[in-house]
């Protein structure tokens, strides 16, 4: 033969078994002798290439005699020669053949046939080698090569009759079990027909010859065409096809019964169980082989641990879990349980299984950081995720565990649980029940990280948390509807939302805001926000960081106009006067100005609109603006231009009061202004009738007063006849004059020190210059600055002189700072002065007066915040100094000196101060009798000194304090005894100066003094003595800061500091004193100086009473406690009325209705607290016949409603919120009655009045929401709302179902749709107000369900979509109220909406449906037809999730699936 073997190409085999398969014989290469372990020719070629040998040359391991190479042009050997080899010895060791689609057939290499004797010799040698190898102990056991079909080869199933056509290949166990044979795969064996190379095969190749019958060799057209030509031909053909299809349907459908049965469990030994688990972990072993028996005892946590330990593939672990679960669930039925018991047992087992999975994950998280924890954690997360996806876990239990876990774990383990949650994020977002909880948990964790001091350590955790929040807000925006907590998380969430999701966040923010507003109107919401701002401002403690407060206020209300207005009302209100508030307000405004807020515009707006309120002090407002002018945060030129542009001077009448907007002209400090601004201000003042000459004259008088005497020399500010008295009273000086004189004094002091800068402006190295004033001069300048109330300049003066080395001057500075501590803390200078004083005290320990300086420092540092370390250090210094004095030699005071002193002054004369000082300095101890005698001598001197002058009283009290080191207990007892005698005597000889002197000299505390006065009040019966004691209480409680006598003004500071401490802590002595005083004043005649009417005319006393309810909630409680004994009396009502409305309450107040009108017309945001107490006293006072006072309030407000502003209406409703429960219930019931009357009526004549009345009544109900607590009231209101909603739906919504309703809604005054909208919105508001009461267990579930279903039907109606946000409001309300509903009510609502009303809305499914409510409803089972409709009925067919497994039985049958295939009309598969 001359054919070229390389030119043969193998055709591709056909797909069908009866196709002609062509194979060229050159593809059949027999194996070489001795190369059984070589896979094939194709596998040998890489080895040949590696040795750089020609593939046509035999390998070097064989001799040339063993092989003969046939070149591509040579003739192949005789086929009979190739058949002499036994192919059976090589069949099991063959490997891959040359691919069918190889482009070039390889060259043929054929073995050379050896003689028989050589073959026998070779076999003997091989046997000897094998025997020697077997005897070797360390011989390596070899595994025979197993021939495997190519992975790309097509396969067909094996049948009982089919097999290897050639019979030359034996399949291994895996292939036998898989019952599949590779098509066209028959390695060379020598006996296959394809292995025989004949002449025909060599020429034409090998292919299967198909015998074709003779009768099918031609076309069937002539035979079939005769039948088709007939008239019934098509009918016959159609009948034939129908018969064929019928037979196919009959014989091709699955009719056998379901043979599914979960694999049984048997008890195996430990070794067999481990072997079975190893086989399960081996993916090459089919599951059908393992499904014959399942080892018993592998369940629960053990199953999960085995899966992890043996690294069982996830799919096979799921298969094992399903097998175990199916057997466990079927075990409940085998035990006899049925119905609810079986379902309950199955549910319990699934929850236990879920708990095992949860414990498994917790254990993996706990092993974080150990060996292979990352691989184990990955496997555990993957397995848990697949179990959840296959619905093999109880979703409610699993989600509850996840949410509870992330709320309890620390931040270190949070990222691992975030991975679990991220895989279930879609499922969380499908249910409101878990979506809201997840959103709140994520935000709370982020809030904890933001507030953590170690923020840098958790930056990675924060990043992962922020990413998850962004994903979740995109997946489920409704889950972030949390109106109660939105204010807490809004600003934080806004900072972490990615830019692409900003619009989505704005939508969520608007929906939360509308839900908050739904509980009240916009104006009422503004009032609530204002209350929140005021509570934050009231909570500012001394030393609080004002910058942080400014940011907090901005986060609560990012509304500049509201912030500025609230801050100014809070700081300038007459109900809580405090200089510190003015400086706090100024600093807050500066901070907001630094935050790019235009405070100047809002200040001018406040001056034009709100500053004329009767409860605001103009002087305080001027002070704040003047401080802003000092710091360049308020433009004087802009203000003057604003006054001119608005024509404020032209619109003012001749007799009209000067408004604050114009009065500010007189308060602008002239220093620092440019010439043209001064000229413009002068012209505007001249138009007011105020000449600038008067202002300049007063300033010049003050300057000339200091020019006549050096700055700091004594100036008498008390004695009227003194030539050095200031030129005018401070109350007659304008703020401009005060600030200008204060600025001039500061510049004068700085010029004397040789520096033109203030201490705070000078560099640190230039602050060592000596002060220019001594102690006496310092007291004078201090009194002048107090006189002018310029505390900024006073702070600079104190800071400048804090570098002094004189202990007496430093003590005066410390006492002054402690006295004005709240002001200096508000200004921000207290800490700077204190640090300078602490630096000076270390160098004064050897100077006289050092101990007094240290004691003053201790008093100061105890009042400063966050100074505990300095407090301990100063106390140690004091103890050290006292110890040095005590270790000195004890020298008793001479009794002879004391007796001589007493004998010398035994008559009316008393020893002078110097004589007593000499006696006390003569020794360090005295006995008790001598101490008593000396104390009596000094007390007599103290009583006489109190009648002489205040200075003498202070000096004598200081002598009493000198006795304390001798025996402090005895001195205290004697002091209290003498005070009691003085109080019982009724003598008021300078009681004020004596009591104040005792307190300031540390002889007795103010609290002890007040308690002794109260005790004396209970023991005396003489009215005159009682009046004197009460007058003493008034004097003690109303003593102001500033005293007129400059020489002793700082001596009052300790008394004032103690009183402020008692007021701040609401001491029982203060409360009892005020209470007894009011009781006495109510029963005192009007002409008495202690009558309530005259007491209320005292500014200091009224300021004290007004301050209590406006300070804090505790202050409100204390105020109620003070008035509780007299609250029911008419006098108490008048007293509260004068306190709350000082400018509106007249002597003759008229009826209760008139007083209600006055109260409602004059209430402001600053007087809300007192107005509430006044209203409460008004409603509960009087006779029992006046029981309609609370409903009268509703009627009065409805009468005043048309002319009231929205802000005033909101203030009315805010008054109601803090009334007692009984009064709120009466007001709420009356308001609800009026609401239902309005809802059942037609508005006449205007829709605007109808809307305003409805809005106000709803706000009243919202303010009195605590009244609906009883089940009867909640059920009654719920029934009324339900009936109104049904009536609205039946009478109105049916007429507005088309597109015409959108056009009708344009006319809001006359359109019926507007009325429907108002009524529907009112129902939503009413429901939102009482939604917490409606969800109590005792409320009828049927009525609540019907109401929620009715609201759900509105979502599917076209009417709500005609108004913006109405449909969203309904959906959001249902979303919020669903948080309070039980799972039973939610399931009932969604079942009624979906089944009875056929309403398919994804929003309703999110609101009411549980996480797996519709998991099994997609598959329906038809159960037959009804006689009326003749339509098949269907019901959900539940799928047993635990039985949906593959390869459940060891033998494959026709219908072995868990769901019978006959239910689906399944067809048999035909291959």
């Amino acid at each position: 033969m001359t054919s070229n073997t390389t030119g043969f190409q193998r055709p591709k085999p056909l797909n069908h078994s009866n196709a002609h398969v062509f194979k060229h014989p050159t593809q059949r290469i027999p194996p070489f002798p001795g190369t059984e372990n070589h896979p094939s020719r194709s596998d040998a070629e890489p080895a040949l290439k590696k040795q750089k040998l020609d593939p046509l040359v035999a390998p070097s391991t064989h001799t040339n005699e063993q092989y003969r190479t046939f070149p591509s042009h040579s003739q192949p050997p005789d086929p009979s020669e190739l058949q002499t080899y036994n192919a059976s010895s090589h069949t099991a060791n063959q490997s891959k053949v040359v691919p069918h689609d190889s482009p070039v057939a390889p060259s043929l290499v054929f073995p050379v046939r050896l003689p028989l004797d050589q073959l026998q010799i070779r076999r003997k040698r091989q046997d000897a080698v094998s025997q020697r190898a077997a005897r070797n102990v360390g011989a390596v056991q070899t595994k025979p090569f197993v021939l495997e079909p190519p992975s790309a080869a097509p396969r067909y199933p094996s049948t009982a009759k089919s097999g290897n056509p050639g019979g030359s290949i034996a399949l291994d166990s895996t292939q036998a079990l898989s019952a599949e044979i590779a098509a066209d795969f028959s390695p060379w064996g020598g006996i296959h027909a394809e292995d025989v190379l004949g002449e025909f095969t060599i020429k034409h190749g090998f292919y299967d010859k198909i015998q074709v019958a003779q009768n099918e060799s031609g076309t069937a057209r002539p035979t079939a065409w005769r039948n088709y030509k007939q008239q019934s031909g098509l009918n016959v053909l159609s009948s034939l096809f129908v018969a064929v299809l019928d037979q196919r349907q009959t014989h091709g459908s699955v009719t056998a019964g379901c043979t599914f049965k979960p694999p049984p469990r048997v008890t195996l030994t430990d070794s067999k169980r481990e072997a079975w688990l190893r086989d399960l972990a081996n993916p090459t072993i089919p599951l059908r082989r393992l499904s014959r028996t399942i080892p018993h005892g592998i369940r629960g946590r053990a199953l999960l641990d085995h899966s992890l330990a043996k690294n069982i593939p996830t799919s096979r672990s799921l298969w094992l879990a399903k097998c175990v679960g199916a057997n466990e669930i079927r075990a409940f039925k085998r035990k006899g349980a049925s119905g609810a018991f079986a379902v309950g047992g199955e549910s319990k087992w699934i929850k236990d299984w879920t708990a095992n999975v949860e414990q498994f994950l917790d254990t993996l998280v706990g092993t974080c950081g150990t060996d292979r924890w990352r691989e184990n954690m990955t496997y555990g997360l993957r397995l848990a995720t697949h179990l959840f996806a296959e619905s093999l876990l109880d979703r409610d239990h699993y989600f509850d565990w996840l949410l509870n876990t992330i709320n309890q774990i620390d931040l270190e383990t949070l990222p691992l649980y975030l991975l679990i949650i991220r895989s279930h994020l879609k499922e969380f977002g499908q249910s409101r029940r878990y979506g809201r909880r997840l959103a709140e948990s994520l935000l709370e964790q982020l809030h904890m990280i933001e507030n953590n001091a170690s923020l840098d350590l958790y930056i990675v955790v924060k990043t992962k948390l922020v990413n998850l929040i962004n994903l979740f807000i995109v997946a489920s925006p409704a889950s972030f509807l949390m109106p109660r907590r939105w204010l807490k998380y809004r600003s934080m969430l806004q900072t972490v939302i990615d830019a692409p999701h900003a619009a989505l966040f704005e939508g969520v923010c608007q929906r939360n805001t509308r839900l908050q507003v739904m509980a009240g109107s916009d104006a009422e919401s503004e009032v609530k926000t204002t209350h929140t701002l005021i509570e934050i401002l009231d909570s500012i403690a001394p030393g609080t960081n004002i910058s942080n407060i400014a940011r907090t206020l901005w986060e609560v209300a990012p509304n500049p106009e509201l912030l500025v207005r609230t801050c100014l009302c809070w700081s300038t209100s007459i109900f809580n006067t405090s200089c510190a508030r003015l400086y706090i307000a100024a600093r807050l405004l500066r901070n907001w100005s630094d935050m790019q807020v235009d405070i100047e515009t809002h200040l001018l707006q406040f001056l034009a609109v709100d500053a004329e309120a009767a409860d605001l002090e103009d002087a305080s407002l001027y002070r704040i603006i003047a401080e802003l002018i000092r710091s360049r945060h308020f433009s004087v030129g802009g203000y003057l231009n604003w006054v001119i542009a608005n024509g404020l001077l032209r619109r003012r009448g001749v007799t009209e009061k000067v408004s604050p907007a114009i009065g500010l002209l007189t308060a602008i400090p002239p220093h620092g202004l440019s010439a043209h601004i001064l000229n413009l201000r002068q012209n505007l003042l001249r138009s007011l009738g105020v000449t600038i000459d008067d202002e300049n004259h007063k300033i010049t008088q003050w300057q000339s007063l200091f020019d006549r005497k050096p700055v700091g020399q004594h100036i008498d500010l008390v004695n009227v006849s003194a030539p050095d008295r200031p030129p005018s009273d401070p109350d007659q000086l304008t703020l401009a004059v005060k600030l200008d004189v204060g600025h001039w004094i500061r510049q004068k002091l700085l010029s004397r020190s040789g520096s033109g800068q203030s201490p705070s402006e000078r560099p640190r190295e230039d602050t060592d210059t000596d002060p220019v004033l001594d102690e006496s001069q310092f007291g004078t300048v201090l009194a002048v600055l107090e006189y002018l109330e310029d505390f900024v300049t006073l702070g600079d003066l104190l800071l400048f002189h804090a570098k002094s080395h004189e202990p007496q001057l430093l003590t005066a500075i410390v006492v002054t700072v402690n006295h004005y501590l709240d002001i200096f803390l508000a200004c921000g200078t207290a800490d700077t002065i204190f640090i300078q004083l602490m630096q000076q005290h270390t160098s004064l320990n050897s100077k006289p007066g050092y101990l007094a300086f240290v004691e003053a420092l201790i008093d100061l540092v105890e009042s400063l915040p966050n100074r505990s370390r300095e407090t301990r250090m100063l106390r140690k210094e004091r103890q050290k100094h006292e110890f040095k004095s005590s270790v000195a030699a004890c020298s008793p005071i001479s009794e002879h000196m004391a007796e001589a002193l007493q004998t010398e002054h035994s008559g009316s004369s008393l020893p002078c101060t110097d004589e007593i000082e000499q006696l006390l300095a003569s020794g360090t101890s005295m006995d008790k009798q001598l101490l008593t005698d000396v104390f009596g001598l000094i007390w007599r001197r103290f009583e006489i000194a109190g009648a002489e002058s205040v200075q003498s009283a202070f000096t004598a009290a200081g002598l009493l304090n000198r006795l304390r080191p001798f025996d402090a207990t005895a001195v205290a007892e004697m002091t209290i005894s003498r005070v009691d005698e003085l109080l019982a005597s009724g003598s008021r000889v300078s009681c004020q100066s004596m009591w104040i002197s005792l307190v300031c000299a540390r002889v007795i505390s103010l609290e002890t003094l007040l308690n002794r006065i109260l005790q004396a009040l209970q023991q005396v019966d003489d009215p005159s003595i009682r009046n004197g004691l009460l007058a003493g209480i008034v004097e003690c409680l109303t003593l102001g800061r500033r005293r007129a006598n400059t020489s002793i003004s700082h001596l009052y500071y300790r008394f004032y500091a103690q009183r402020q401490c008692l007021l701040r802590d609401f001491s029982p002595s203060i409360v009892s004193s005020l209470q007894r005083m009011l009781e006495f004043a109510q029963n005192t005649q009007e002409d008495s100086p202690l009558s309530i009417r005259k007491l209320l005319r005292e500014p200091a006393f009224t300021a004290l009473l007004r301050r209590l309810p406006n300070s804090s909630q505790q202050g409100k409680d204390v105020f109620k406690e003070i008035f509780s004994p007299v609250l029911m009396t008419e006098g108490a009502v008048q007293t509260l009325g004068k306190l709350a409305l000082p400018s509106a309450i007249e002597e003759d107040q008229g009826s209760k209705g008139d007083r209600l009108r006055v109260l409602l017309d004059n209430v402001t945001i600053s007087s809300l607290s007192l107005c509430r107490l006044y209203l409460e006293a008004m409603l509960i006072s009087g006779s029992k016949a006046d029981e309609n006072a609370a409903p009268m309030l509703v009627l009065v407000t409805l009468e005043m409603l048309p002319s009231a502003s929205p802000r005033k209406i909101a203030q009315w409703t805010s008054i109601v919120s803090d009334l007692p429960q009984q009064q709120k219930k009466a007001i709420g019931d009356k308001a609800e009655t009026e609401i239902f009357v309005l809802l059942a009526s037609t508005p006449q004549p205007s829709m605007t009045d109808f809307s305003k009345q409805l809005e106000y009544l709803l706000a009243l109900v919202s303010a009195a929401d605590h009244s609906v607590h009883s089940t009867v009231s909640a059920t009654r209101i719920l029934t009324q709302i339900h009936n109104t909603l049904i009536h609205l739906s039946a009478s109105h919504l049916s007429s507005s179902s088309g597109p015409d309703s959108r056009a009708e809604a344009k006319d809001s005054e006359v359109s019926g749709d507007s009325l429907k909208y108002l009524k529907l919105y009112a129902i939503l508001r009413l429901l939102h107000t009482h939604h917490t009461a409606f969800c109590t267990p005792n409320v009828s579930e049927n009525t609540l369900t019907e109401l929620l279903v009715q609201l759900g039907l509105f979502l599917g109606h076209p009417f709500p979509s005609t108004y913006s946000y109405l449909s969203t409001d309904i959906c959001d309300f249902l979303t919020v109220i669903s948080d309070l509903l039980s799972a039973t009510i939610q399931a009932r609502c969604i079942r009624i909406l979906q089944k009875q009303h056929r309403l398919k809305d994804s929003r309703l499914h999110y609101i009411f449906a549980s996480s797996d409510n519709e998991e099994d409803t997609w598959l329906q089972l038809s159960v037959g037809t009804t006689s009326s409709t003749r339509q098949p009925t269907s019901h959900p067919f539940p799928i047993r999730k635990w039985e949906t497994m593959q390869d459940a039985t060891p033998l494959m049958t026709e219908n072995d699936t868990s769901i019978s295939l006959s239910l689906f009309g399944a067809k048999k598969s035909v291959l």
Side-chain angles (χ1 to χ4, degrees), residues 1239-1260:
L1239 292 178
S1241 64
T1242 302
Q1244 293 294 338
S1246 173
M1247 182 74 71
T1248 304
D1249 294 339
F1250 177 82
S1251 174
K1252 196 171 184 179
Q1253 290 183 7
L1254 195 60
E1255 185 76 22
Y1256 169 65
L1257 290 173
L1258 289 170
L1260 271 184

Side-chain angles (χ1 to χ4, degrees), residues 536-843:
I536 297 174
L537 291 170
D538 287 337
S539 66
I540 297 177
T544 305
N545 192 323
I546 301 299
S547 300
N548 295 338
I549 295 295
R551 286 192 295 269
T552 303
L553 294 172
W554 180 261
E555 292 174 358
V556 172
N559 183 352
E561 189 270 334
L562 179 61
L563 283 176
V564 172
R565 185 177 73 244
T566 304
C567 182
L568 292 177
C569 289
W570 171 79
S571 57
T572 61
S573 172
I574 64 174
F575 297 98
N576 199 345
T577 56
S578 173
C579 291
R581 290 192 171 200
L582 306 181
Y583 295 100
I584 290 175
R587 291 184 65 188
L588 287 173
L589 292 172
R590 293 190 191 108
N591 277 275
W592 290 329
S593 178
D594 296 338
M595 295 166 59
Q596 308 303 319
V597 176
D598 186 9
I599 62 169
E600 185 175 349
T601 301
H602 300 298
L603 281 171
L604 296 177
Q605 182 180 357
F606 182 85
L607 287 171
V609 179
D610 302 296
E612 296 187 16
D615 58 343
L616 300 182
E617 288 186 340
D618 296 343
S620 300
L621 179 62
Y622 299 158
R623 172 73 67 174
I624 293 174
I625 298 179
E627 293 299 328
L628 294 176
I629 293 175
R630 275 182 169 183
S631 59
R632 310 292 183 182
H633 287 85
F634 186 85
S635 173
V636 178
Y639 160 71
L640 298 178
N641 293 331
W642 174 78
V643 171
I644 297 173
N646 287 273
L648 298 180
L649 298 177
R650 186 176 303 172
R651 293 202 305 257
R652 176 178 173 269
V654 178
T655 60
E656 188 176 339
K657 178 186 175 182
V658 177
S659 65
I662 303 176
L664 180 60
L665 289 170
T666 62
I668 298 176
H671 61 271
L673 299 180
S674 58
H676 71 281
I677 297 295
L678 288 174
N679 292 333
L680 181 58
R681 174 176 175 269
Q682 180 178 352
N683 295 332
L684 293 178
L685 286 175
R686 189 178 294 111
S687 62
L688 286 177
V690 179
T691 60
I692 198 67
D693 297 334
D694 185 26
E695 180 180 289
N696 294 332
H697 176 68
K698 293 179 180 179
I699 295 175
T700 304
Q701 281 184 322
W702 276 91
Q703 293 177 355
S704 62
L705 177 66
F706 281 96
D707 287 337
R708 291 195 304 269
K709 291 180 177 290
V711 175
Q713 190 169 342
H714 177 70
I715 301 176
D716 191 356
L717 302 178
V718 179
N719 193 354
V720 179
S721 61
D724 300 330
R725 177 168 178 78
S728 56
D729 187 77
D731 296 333
Q732 299 177 358
L733 294 178
T734 63
L735 183 60
V737 174
K738 293 180 180 179
L739 296 181
D740 196 77
V741 173
H743 176 74
W744 180 83
I745 293 176
R746 178 171 60 176
Q747 295 299 324
K748 198 78 171 177
L749 291 173
L750 295 178
S751 63
R752 287 187 58 183
S753 65
S755 172
Q757 294 177 312
S758 64
S760 58
E761 296 174 349
R762 255 180 287 143
R764 184 175 299 273
E765 58 271 11
D766 296 339
T767 58
D768 295 332
T769 58
D770 294 331
V772 297
L773 302 177
D774 56 15
E775 182 183 4
S776 176
Q777 295 172 343
F778 171 79
T780 301
V781 177
L782 170 63
V784 171
L785 293 178
E786 286 179 332
Y787 191 86
L788 298 175
E789 297 179 343
D790 190 354
F791 296 103
V792 175
T793 303
L794 178 58
D796 286 342
L797 172 69
L798 297 177
L799 182 60
F800 181 75
H801 287 82
K803 300 179 297 298
S804 172
H805 297 283
E806 296 297 330
Q808 292 79 10
L809 178 59
L810 292 177
T811 303
I813 293 174
V814 173
V815 173
T816 305
V817 173
N818 196 13
H819 179 60
Y820 294 107
L821 183 61
D822 54 344
I823 297 178
F824 291 135
L825 284 173
C827 295
T829 58
D831 288 333
T832 307
I833 298 174
F834 174 74
I835 293 173
Q836 185 64 45
L837 291 171
M838 289 296 295
Q839 293 176 355
Q840 293 297 113
H841 99 281
T842 56
S843 59

Side-chain angles (χ1 to χ4, degrees), residues 433-492:
R433 183 186 307 175
Y434 298 109
R436 175 191 59 85
R437 291 177 57 190
L438 176 61
E440 290 182 355
S441 299
L442 296 178
L443 292 176
E444 182 62 27
Q445 290 290 340
L446 183 60
H447 182 72
M448 291 173 57
I449 295 177
E450 291 287 349
N451 296 332
N452 197 311
S454 304
L455 178 60
D456 297 338
L457 299 178
Y458 301 107
I459 191 66
V460 177
V461 182
K462 179 183 177 181
T463 303
K464 293 181 180 296
L465 198 57
V466 168
N467 293 336
L468 188 59
I469 290 175
N470 279 275
L471 291 176
F472 193 50
I473 199 173
V474 173
S476 180
S479 297
F480 288 82
L481 293 180
M482 47 187 79
R484 293 180 179 272
R485 299 189 178 184
W486 184 246
L487 288 178
K488 178 180 179 181
Y489 299 128
R490 180 184 61 185
S491 58
M492 179 187 67

Side-chain angles (χ1 to χ4, degrees), residues 70-89:
F70 294 88
S72 60
H73 61 274
S74 61
Q75 297 294 333
D78 185 33
S80 59
E81 182 181 1
L82 299 177
Q83 294 178 5
T84 58
Y85 289 98
N86 185 8
S88 60
S89 61

Side-chain angles (χ1 to χ4, degrees), residues 290-315:
L290 301 174
S291 62
R292 293 174 184 151
T293 54
I294 301 296
H296 209 290
I298 303 178
R299 51 176 295 181
R301 178 66 183 278
L303 189 151
L304 300 171
D305 292 338
H306 281 300
S307 299
L308 176 64
K310 295 175 175 56
N311 197 20
I312 300 176
T314 306
S315 59

Side-chain angles (χ1 to χ4, degrees), residues 50 146 575 801 986 1384 1451:
K50 186 174 181 181
V146 179
F575 297 98
H801 287 82
T1384 304
L1451 298 177

